[in-house]
Amino acid sequence: MTRHLLSLLDLEREEIFSLIARAGRLKQDLKRGKTHHPLQGKSLGMIFEKKSTRTRVSFEVGIYQLGAQSVYLSPEQMQLGRGESLKDTARVLSRYLDGIIARGNHHSDLEELARWSDIPVINALTELYHPCQVLSDLFTIREAGKNLEKMTLAFIGDPNNVFNSWVNAASIIGFELRLASPPGFDPDPKVIAAAKKNGKLTLKTFREPSRAAKGADIIYTDVWVSMGQEKEAKKRRKIFQPYQVNRGLVNQAGKKALVLHCLPAHREQEISGEVFERFAPIIFTQAENRLHSQKAILELLIAEKRR
Ligand code: CP
Ligand code: NVA
Protein backbone atom coordinates (compact mmCIF):
# COMPACT_ATOMS: atom_id res chain seq x y z
CA MET A 1 0.00 0.00 0.00
CA THR A 2 1.22 3.48 -0.86
CA ARG A 3 2.31 5.46 2.18
CA HIS A 4 1.61 9.17 2.35
CA LEU A 5 2.74 11.80 4.83
CA LEU A 6 -0.20 14.14 5.23
CA SER A 7 0.26 14.64 8.97
CA LEU A 8 2.67 13.41 11.63
CA LEU A 9 -0.03 10.95 12.70
CA ASP A 10 0.92 8.98 9.57
CA LEU A 11 4.21 8.07 11.27
CA GLU A 12 4.85 5.61 14.07
CA ARG A 13 6.69 6.82 17.16
CA GLU A 14 9.73 4.62 16.35
CA GLU A 15 9.79 6.00 12.80
CA ILE A 16 9.96 9.56 14.11
CA PHE A 17 12.96 8.74 16.28
CA SER A 18 14.62 6.85 13.46
CA LEU A 19 14.00 9.75 11.01
CA ILE A 20 15.61 12.14 13.52
CA ALA A 21 18.65 9.88 13.86
CA ARG A 22 18.87 9.42 10.10
CA ALA A 23 18.66 13.20 9.53
CA GLY A 24 21.69 13.56 11.83
CA ARG A 25 23.68 11.00 9.82
CA LEU A 26 22.69 12.57 6.50
CA LYS A 27 23.78 15.97 7.83
CA GLN A 28 27.19 14.58 8.83
CA ASP A 29 27.60 12.78 5.50
CA LEU A 30 26.86 15.95 3.57
CA LYS A 31 29.37 17.96 5.61
CA ARG A 32 32.00 15.27 4.95
CA GLY A 33 31.25 15.29 1.23
CA LYS A 34 29.95 11.72 1.24
CA THR A 35 27.42 11.22 -1.54
CA HIS A 36 24.53 8.80 -1.47
CA HIS A 37 21.97 8.28 -4.24
CA PRO A 38 19.17 5.98 -3.06
CA LEU A 39 16.66 7.80 -5.30
CA GLN A 40 18.72 7.53 -8.48
CA GLY A 41 16.61 7.68 -11.62
CA LYS A 42 13.47 8.81 -9.82
CA SER A 43 11.36 11.91 -10.46
CA LEU A 44 9.38 13.79 -7.86
CA GLY A 45 6.67 16.34 -8.58
CA MET A 46 6.37 19.54 -6.56
CA ILE A 47 2.94 21.17 -6.59
CA PHE A 48 2.96 24.44 -4.66
CA GLU A 49 -0.27 26.43 -4.43
CA LYS A 50 1.23 28.82 -1.85
CA LYS A 51 4.51 30.63 -1.64
CA SER A 52 7.58 28.98 -0.15
CA THR A 53 11.28 29.63 0.31
CA ARG A 54 12.54 26.98 2.74
CA THR A 55 10.30 24.04 1.91
CA ARG A 56 10.60 24.30 -1.84
CA VAL A 57 14.35 24.89 -1.97
CA SER A 58 15.21 22.30 0.69
CA PHE A 59 13.08 19.66 -1.03
CA GLU A 60 14.47 20.41 -4.48
CA VAL A 61 18.07 20.37 -3.25
CA GLY A 62 17.47 17.26 -1.12
CA ILE A 63 15.92 15.41 -4.07
CA TYR A 64 18.94 16.27 -6.20
CA GLN A 65 21.38 15.21 -3.48
CA LEU A 66 19.62 11.83 -3.22
CA GLY A 67 20.07 11.26 -6.95
CA ALA A 68 16.57 12.09 -8.20
CA GLN A 69 15.12 15.02 -10.11
CA SER A 70 12.34 17.33 -9.07
CA VAL A 71 9.70 18.55 -11.48
CA TYR A 72 8.17 21.85 -10.39
CA LEU A 73 4.48 21.95 -11.23
CA SER A 74 2.83 25.29 -10.94
CA PRO A 75 -0.91 24.68 -10.38
CA GLU A 76 -1.92 27.52 -12.70
CA GLN A 77 0.23 26.11 -15.50
CA MET A 78 -1.32 22.65 -15.11
CA GLN A 79 -4.74 21.63 -16.37
CA LEU A 80 -5.72 21.63 -12.69
CA GLY A 81 -5.91 25.39 -13.12
CA ARG A 82 -8.54 24.85 -15.85
CA GLY A 83 -10.64 22.47 -13.84
CA GLU A 84 -9.09 19.01 -14.34
CA SER A 85 -9.92 17.04 -11.22
CA LEU A 86 -7.46 16.12 -8.50
CA LYS A 87 -8.59 12.52 -9.00
CA ASP A 88 -7.46 12.46 -12.64
CA THR A 89 -4.36 14.54 -11.93
CA ALA A 90 -3.27 12.04 -9.26
CA ARG A 91 -3.83 9.08 -11.58
CA VAL A 92 -1.87 10.71 -14.41
CA LEU A 93 1.04 11.83 -12.23
CA SER A 94 1.25 8.33 -10.73
CA ARG A 95 2.16 7.05 -14.21
CA TYR A 96 5.17 9.38 -14.52
CA LEU A 97 6.45 10.23 -11.08
CA ASP A 98 7.69 8.44 -7.97
CA GLY A 99 6.26 10.88 -5.45
CA ILE A 100 4.45 14.19 -5.05
CA ILE A 101 5.32 16.99 -2.66
CA ALA A 102 2.37 19.33 -2.31
CA ARG A 103 1.63 22.62 -0.57
CA GLY A 104 -2.06 23.40 -0.75
CA ASN A 105 -4.70 25.87 0.34
CA HIS A 106 -7.01 23.07 1.44
CA HIS A 107 -5.89 20.01 3.37
CA SER A 108 -8.87 18.16 1.88
CA ASP A 109 -7.28 18.62 -1.58
CA LEU A 110 -4.15 16.80 -0.43
CA GLU A 111 -6.32 14.04 1.00
CA GLU A 112 -8.10 13.75 -2.35
CA LEU A 113 -4.79 13.71 -4.22
CA ALA A 114 -3.46 11.01 -1.88
CA ARG A 115 -6.65 8.97 -2.20
CA TRP A 116 -6.13 8.59 -5.94
CA SER A 117 -2.37 8.53 -6.07
CA ASP A 118 -0.35 5.31 -6.37
CA ILE A 119 2.76 7.21 -5.32
CA PRO A 120 3.49 8.85 -1.93
CA VAL A 121 2.07 12.33 -1.36
CA ILE A 122 4.05 14.44 1.13
CA ASN A 123 2.41 17.45 2.77
CA ALA A 124 4.61 20.51 2.32
CA LEU A 125 2.09 22.62 4.34
CA THR A 126 -1.63 23.06 4.28
CA GLU A 127 -3.85 25.38 6.32
CA LEU A 128 -4.21 22.45 8.75
CA TYR A 129 -0.77 20.91 9.22
CA HIS A 130 2.94 21.37 8.51
CA PRO A 131 4.43 17.96 9.37
CA CYS A 132 7.82 18.38 7.65
CA GLN A 133 8.46 21.54 9.68
CA VAL A 134 7.76 19.97 13.04
CA LEU A 135 9.60 16.73 12.29
CA SER A 136 12.61 18.84 11.39
CA ASP A 137 12.23 20.97 14.51
CA LEU A 138 12.24 17.81 16.63
CA PHE A 139 15.60 17.00 15.04
CA THR A 140 16.89 20.52 15.80
CA ILE A 141 15.76 20.31 19.43
CA ARG A 142 17.32 16.86 19.84
CA GLU A 143 20.52 18.11 18.21
CA ALA A 144 20.59 20.97 20.72
CA GLY A 145 20.74 18.35 23.48
CA LYS A 146 17.16 18.43 24.77
CA ASN A 147 15.25 15.33 25.81
CA LEU A 148 12.27 15.17 23.46
CA GLU A 149 10.21 13.02 25.79
CA LYS A 150 10.72 15.19 28.85
CA MET A 151 10.74 18.68 27.38
CA THR A 152 8.12 21.39 27.75
CA LEU A 153 7.42 23.39 24.61
CA ALA A 154 5.49 26.64 24.90
CA PHE A 155 3.87 27.79 21.67
CA ILE A 156 3.08 31.48 21.86
CA GLY A 157 0.55 33.03 19.47
CA ASP A 158 -1.75 31.62 16.85
CA PRO A 159 -2.75 27.94 17.11
CA ASN A 160 -2.22 27.50 13.37
CA ASN A 161 -1.02 24.72 11.06
CA VAL A 162 2.43 24.59 12.71
CA PHE A 163 0.86 24.44 16.17
CA ASN A 164 -1.44 21.62 14.99
CA SER A 165 1.59 19.60 13.96
CA TRP A 166 3.06 20.25 17.43
CA VAL A 167 -0.17 18.82 18.88
CA ASN A 168 0.40 15.68 16.83
CA ALA A 169 4.05 15.46 17.86
CA ALA A 170 3.15 15.86 21.55
CA SER A 171 0.60 13.03 21.33
CA ILE A 172 3.15 10.74 19.69
CA ILE A 173 6.19 11.57 21.82
CA GLY A 174 4.59 12.52 25.13
CA PHE A 175 6.22 15.88 25.95
CA GLU A 176 4.28 18.72 27.55
CA LEU A 177 2.87 21.20 25.04
CA ARG A 178 1.62 24.59 26.16
CA LEU A 179 -0.23 27.22 24.20
CA ALA A 180 -0.67 30.89 25.02
CA SER A 181 -3.29 32.44 22.75
CA PRO A 182 -5.94 35.17 22.96
CA PRO A 183 -9.67 34.54 23.44
CA GLY A 184 -11.25 33.35 20.20
CA PHE A 185 -8.02 31.63 19.13
CA ASP A 186 -8.28 28.26 20.77
CA PRO A 187 -6.97 24.97 19.39
CA ASP A 188 -9.06 23.26 16.71
CA PRO A 189 -11.17 20.62 18.54
CA LYS A 190 -10.91 18.22 15.57
CA VAL A 191 -7.11 18.39 15.66
CA ILE A 192 -7.11 17.77 19.42
CA ALA A 193 -9.55 14.86 19.09
CA ALA A 194 -7.45 13.20 16.36
CA ALA A 195 -4.27 13.56 18.43
CA LYS A 196 -5.96 12.19 21.56
CA LYS A 197 -7.21 9.20 19.61
CA ASN A 198 -3.63 8.58 18.54
CA GLY A 199 -1.87 8.91 21.90
CA LYS A 200 -1.72 10.64 25.26
CA LEU A 201 -1.80 14.40 24.81
CA THR A 202 -0.59 16.76 27.53
CA LEU A 203 -1.72 20.19 26.33
CA LYS A 204 -2.00 23.13 28.73
CA THR A 205 -3.63 26.29 27.44
CA PHE A 206 -3.10 29.80 28.81
CA ARG A 207 -4.21 33.33 28.02
CA GLU A 208 -1.18 34.83 29.74
CA PRO A 209 2.03 34.21 27.71
CA SER A 210 4.31 34.52 30.75
CA ARG A 211 2.49 31.63 32.47
CA ALA A 212 2.95 29.41 29.42
CA ALA A 213 6.64 30.34 29.15
CA LYS A 214 7.45 29.76 32.82
CA GLY A 215 10.10 27.05 33.07
CA ALA A 216 9.68 25.98 29.42
CA ASP A 217 12.59 24.38 27.56
CA ILE A 218 11.47 25.72 24.20
CA ILE A 219 9.58 28.87 23.34
CA TYR A 220 8.18 28.55 19.85
CA THR A 221 6.43 31.10 17.72
CA ASP A 222 5.15 31.56 14.20
CA VAL A 223 3.54 34.36 12.22
CA TRP A 224 0.27 35.90 13.39
CA VAL A 225 -1.03 36.05 9.82
CA SER A 226 -0.66 32.79 7.95
CA MET A 227 -0.84 32.49 4.19
CA GLY A 228 -4.47 32.88 3.15
CA GLN A 229 -5.36 35.10 6.14
CA GLU A 230 -4.13 38.36 4.62
CA LYS A 231 -7.58 39.99 4.85
CA GLU A 232 -7.49 39.59 8.65
CA ALA A 233 -3.96 40.97 8.96
CA LYS A 234 -4.80 44.28 10.65
CA LYS A 235 -7.17 42.74 13.17
CA ARG A 236 -4.78 39.89 13.97
CA ARG A 237 -1.77 42.16 14.51
CA LYS A 238 -3.76 44.05 17.14
CA ILE A 239 -5.16 40.98 18.90
CA PHE A 240 -1.84 39.15 19.05
CA GLN A 241 0.28 42.13 20.16
CA PRO A 242 0.45 40.93 23.81
CA TYR A 243 1.78 37.59 22.53
CA GLN A 244 5.11 38.86 21.24
CA VAL A 245 8.14 36.75 22.14
CA ASN A 246 10.42 39.38 23.65
CA ARG A 247 13.07 39.67 26.34
CA GLY A 248 10.53 39.89 29.17
CA LEU A 249 8.84 36.68 28.05
CA VAL A 250 12.07 34.77 27.44
CA ASN A 251 13.21 35.69 30.97
CA GLN A 252 10.24 33.70 32.30
CA ALA A 253 11.57 30.51 30.79
CA GLY A 254 14.53 28.48 32.02
CA LYS A 255 18.06 29.87 31.56
CA LYS A 256 18.77 27.15 29.01
CA ALA A 257 15.52 27.76 27.13
CA LEU A 258 15.72 28.03 23.36
CA VAL A 259 13.58 30.23 21.16
CA LEU A 260 12.58 28.68 17.84
CA HIS A 261 10.76 30.16 14.86
CA CYS A 262 9.84 28.23 11.71
CA LEU A 263 10.28 31.40 9.58
CA PRO A 264 9.49 33.65 7.80
CA ALA A 265 9.75 36.02 10.80
CA HIS A 266 8.17 39.42 11.31
CA ARG A 267 10.35 41.35 13.70
CA GLU A 268 8.53 43.43 16.30
CA GLN A 269 5.38 41.43 15.61
CA GLU A 270 5.50 37.81 16.87
CA ILE A 271 9.15 38.18 17.92
CA SER A 272 11.22 41.18 18.96
CA GLY A 273 14.24 41.94 16.78
CA GLU A 274 16.49 41.54 19.81
CA VAL A 275 15.28 38.03 20.72
CA PHE A 276 15.33 37.01 17.07
CA GLU A 277 18.99 38.00 16.68
CA ARG A 278 19.95 36.37 19.98
CA PHE A 279 18.55 33.05 18.80
CA ALA A 280 19.37 33.51 15.10
CA PRO A 281 22.03 30.74 15.08
CA ILE A 282 19.56 28.05 16.11
CA ILE A 283 16.69 29.56 14.08
CA PHE A 284 18.77 29.30 10.91
CA THR A 285 19.92 25.81 11.90
CA GLN A 286 16.21 25.03 12.13
CA ALA A 287 15.87 26.20 8.52
CA GLU A 288 18.96 24.23 7.43
CA ASN A 289 17.72 21.07 9.10
CA ARG A 290 14.67 21.01 6.83
CA LEU A 291 17.06 19.73 4.16
CA HIS A 292 18.47 16.86 6.21
CA SER A 293 15.20 15.75 7.79
CA GLN A 294 13.28 15.84 4.50
CA LYS A 295 15.98 13.70 2.88
CA ALA A 296 15.33 11.17 5.65
CA ILE A 297 11.58 11.34 4.87
CA LEU A 298 12.25 10.83 1.15
CA GLU A 299 14.43 7.81 1.89
CA LEU A 300 11.71 6.31 4.06
CA LEU A 301 8.83 6.90 1.65
CA ILE A 302 10.38 6.91 -1.81
CA ALA A 303 13.64 4.99 -1.86
CA GLU A 304 13.17 1.33 -2.63
CA LYS A 305 15.61 0.24 0.02
CA ARG A 306 17.13 2.17 2.91
CA ARG A 307 20.80 1.66 3.62
N1 CP B 1 8.98 27.39 7.30
C1 CP B 1 8.56 27.22 6.03
O1 CP B 1 7.87 26.26 5.69
O2 CP B 1 8.99 28.17 5.17
P1 CP B 1 8.54 28.37 3.65
O3 CP B 1 7.11 28.85 3.67
O4 CP B 1 9.49 29.40 3.13
O5 CP B 1 8.64 27.07 2.92
N1 NVA C 1 1.72 29.41 9.64
C1 NVA C 1 2.49 29.86 8.51
C2 NVA C 1 3.67 28.97 8.32
C3 NVA C 1 4.61 29.40 7.22
C4 NVA C 1 5.76 28.45 7.06
C5 NVA C 1 1.62 29.90 7.26
O1 NVA C 1 0.83 28.97 7.05
O2 NVA C 1 1.73 30.86 6.50
Side-chain angles (χ1 to χ4, degrees):
M1 215 181 87
T2 308
R3 276 196 79 182
H4 306 291
L5 176 57
L6 299 187
S7 91
L8 286 180
L9 300 183
D10 292 326
L11 295 170
E12 300 293 333
R13 178 189 167 87
E14 293 67 36
E15 283 177 322
I16 291 196
F17 283 103
S18 115
L19 285 166
I20 292 170
R22 184 69 187 137
R25 287 196 298 277
L26 286 164
K27 184 171 182 174
Q28 276 179 358
D29 285 355
L30 185 68
K31 309 259 173 205
R32 289 186 191 131
K34 192 172 155 198
T35 54
H36 163 59
H37 297 137
L39 265 59
Q40 191 148 25
K42 297 194 186 289
S43 300
L44 299 171
M46 314 262 304
I47 307 178
F48 276 57
E49 252 187 323
K50 302 192 198 198
K51 294 189 193 325
S52 169
T53 298
R54 283 142 287 270
T55 311
R56 179 175 168 191
V57 177
S58 56
F59 261 115
E60 292 211 28
V61 171
I63 289 166
Y64 172 76
Q65 289 178 356
L66 293 174
Q69 69 159 344
S70 64
V71 182
Y72 186 73
L73 303 163
S74 143
E76 55 285 6
Q77 296 294 317
M78 294 171 79
Q79 297 287 4
L80 254 182
R82 291 182 61 244
E84 187 170 18
S85 67
L86 286 161
K87 179 173 172 178
D88 290 354
T89 303
R91 291 187 291 180
V92 170
L93 294 180
S94 298
R95 302 285 179 115
Y96 305 133
L97 300 170
D98 300 287
I100 298 171
I101 292 143
R103 171 168 283 198
N105 289 319
H106 306 287
H107 192 76
S108 54
D109 286 350
L110 260 71
E111 288 175 335
E112 173 75 356
L113 197 62
R115 189 168 304 126
W116 296 102
S117 170
D118 295 331
I119 53 175
V121 175
I122 298 174
N123 179 357
L125 179 148
T126 62
E127 85 292 6
L128 194 60
Y129 292 121
H130 197 2
C132 297
Q133 177 71 52
V134 169
L135 182 83
S136 185
D137 294 340
L138 288 167
F139 167 44
T140 304
I141 294 169
R142 180 71 207 93
E143 195 182 39
K146 304 279 184 199
N147 182 330
L148 294 180
E149 286 153 301
K150 296 195 176 137
M151 69 172 178
T152 297
L153 186 142
F155 191 103
I156 312 292
D158 186 22
N160 58 18
N161 43 8
V162 175
F163 172 77
N164 291 343
S165 284
W166 277 113
V167 169
N168 289 346
S171 78
I172 299 168
I173 296 177
F175 56 84
E176 180 177 320
L177 177 64
R178 299 180 188 165
L179 168 72
S181 66
F185 293 87
D186 293 318
D188 179 339
K190 282 197 196 125
V191 168
I192 302 299
K196 281 191 171 159
K197 208 172 143 203
N198 182 67
K200 189 174 174 295
L201 176 66
T202 309
L203 170 64
K204 298 184 180 168
T205 57
F206 301 85
R207 292 285 176 236
E208 177 55 53
S210 63
R211 287 188 57 212
K214 205 167 169 38
D217 300 292
I218 310 288
I219 295 188
Y220 197 104
T221 192
D222 182 17
V223 295
W224 292 337
V225 184
S226 283
M227 289 180 277
Q229 296 174 333
E230 289 75 12
K231 282 198 184 120
E232 299 168 33
K234 208 170 154 208
K235 182 184 114 193
R236 284 175 162 266
R237 282 190 197 117
K238 195 160 168 250
I239 293 172
F240 283 102
Q241 197 54 53
Y243 294 83
Q244 184 186 77
V245 174
N246 52 31
R247 196 197 317 178
L249 189 69
V250 175
N251 286 345
Q252 300 289 321
K255 276 213 170 66
K256 290 187 183 155
L258 299 172
V259 174
L260 297 182
H261 192 311
C262 60
L263 300 176
H266 298 82
R267 288 167 180 74
E268 311 313 336
Q269 291 184 39
E270 75 273 2
I271 190 162
S272 69
E274 183 206 352
V275 168
F276 183 87
E277 289 309 327
R278 191 163 127 213
F279 289 92
I282 192 157
I283 291 173
F284 289 105
T285 297
Q286 236 187 306
E288 175 192 332
N289 284 344
R290 299 289 305 279
L291 171 66
H292 313 300
S293 55
Q294 287 162 189
K295 282 166 73 180
I297 293 172
L298 292 169
E299 277 189 339
L300 175 70
L301 296 182
I302 318 276
E304 251 137 33
K305 268 193 204 126
R306 296 189 75 193
R307 269 193 315 180

